[in-house]
Amino acid sequence: MCQHQPPCPTAESADRESARLVAPHPEQGWSLLCNGVVLFEDTGELLPDGKIIAPHRPLGPDQVMTAA
Ligand SMILES: [Zn+2]
Protein backbone atom coordinates (compact mmCIF):
# COMPACT_ATOMS: atom_id res chain seq x y z
CA MET A 1 0.00 0.00 0.00
CA CYS A 2 0.92 3.65 -0.28
CA GLN A 3 3.51 4.88 2.22
CA HIS A 4 3.96 8.34 0.76
CA GLN A 5 3.27 11.54 2.62
CA PRO A 6 0.87 12.96 1.72
CA PRO A 7 -0.76 9.70 0.62
CA CYS A 8 -1.38 9.20 -3.06
CA PRO A 9 -4.95 9.45 -4.32
CA THR A 10 -6.67 6.11 -4.69
CA ALA A 11 -7.43 4.48 -8.01
CA GLU A 12 -11.07 5.44 -7.49
CA SER A 13 -10.19 9.09 -7.04
CA ALA A 14 -10.68 11.60 -9.84
CA ASP A 15 -7.15 12.72 -9.02
CA ARG A 16 -5.66 9.23 -9.52
CA GLU A 17 -3.08 10.40 -12.06
CA SER A 18 -1.24 12.43 -9.45
CA ALA A 19 -0.16 9.31 -7.55
CA ARG A 20 3.59 8.71 -7.48
CA LEU A 21 5.22 6.67 -10.22
CA VAL A 22 6.47 3.37 -8.84
CA ALA A 23 7.45 1.60 -12.07
CA PRO A 24 7.98 3.93 -15.03
CA HIS A 25 8.49 2.23 -18.40
CA PRO A 26 8.67 5.14 -20.82
CA GLU A 27 10.32 2.96 -23.46
CA GLN A 28 7.22 0.77 -23.40
CA GLY A 29 4.83 3.69 -23.16
CA TRP A 30 3.34 3.07 -19.74
CA SER A 31 3.95 3.60 -16.07
CA LEU A 32 2.63 1.97 -12.93
CA LEU A 33 1.39 4.39 -10.33
CA CYS A 34 1.47 3.88 -6.58
CA ASN A 35 -2.28 3.34 -6.45
CA GLY A 36 -2.12 0.46 -8.94
CA VAL A 37 -3.22 2.45 -11.97
CA VAL A 38 -1.32 1.84 -15.20
CA LEU A 39 -0.95 5.15 -17.00
CA PHE A 40 -0.23 5.01 -20.74
CA GLU A 41 1.64 7.70 -22.61
CA ASP A 42 -1.44 8.63 -24.60
CA THR A 43 -3.10 9.42 -21.20
CA GLY A 44 -5.24 6.28 -21.33
CA GLU A 45 -5.42 4.39 -18.04
CA LEU A 46 -5.95 0.85 -16.83
CA LEU A 47 -7.38 0.65 -13.33
CA PRO A 48 -6.57 -2.14 -10.85
CA ASP A 49 -10.08 -3.57 -11.27
CA GLY A 50 -9.57 -3.89 -15.03
CA LYS A 51 -11.53 -0.80 -15.99
CA ILE A 52 -10.16 1.14 -18.96
CA ILE A 53 -10.10 4.92 -19.11
CA ALA A 54 -9.86 6.34 -22.61
CA PRO A 55 -7.11 8.85 -23.41
CA HIS A 56 -8.28 12.32 -22.46
CA ARG A 57 -5.35 14.67 -23.01
CA PRO A 58 -3.52 15.61 -26.18
CA LEU A 59 0.15 14.74 -26.21
CA GLY A 60 2.45 17.67 -25.67
CA PRO A 61 5.88 18.65 -24.38
CA ASP A 62 4.63 18.43 -20.80
CA GLN A 63 3.24 14.93 -21.09
CA VAL A 64 3.32 12.80 -17.99
CA MET A 65 5.92 10.29 -19.16
CA THR A 66 8.73 12.81 -19.17
CA ALA A 67 8.29 13.47 -15.46
CA ALA A 68 10.06 10.31 -14.34
ZN1 LIG B 1 1.97 6.47 -2.81
Side-chain angles (χ1 to χ4, degrees), residues 1-13 15-25 30-39 45-48 64:
M1 294 300 294
C2 178
Q3 304 194 358
H4 296 120
Q5 285 295 334
C8 299
T10 66
E12 290 78 31
S13 168
D15 199 28
R16 62 177 78 85
E17 289 169 49
S18 55
R20 312 289 180 94
L21 291 174
V22 294
H25 296 280
W30 62 275
S31 291
L32 177 64
L33 303 186
C34 180
N35 55 12
V37 172
V38 175
L39 181 64
E45 297 165 29
L46 176 61
L47 303 193
V64 176

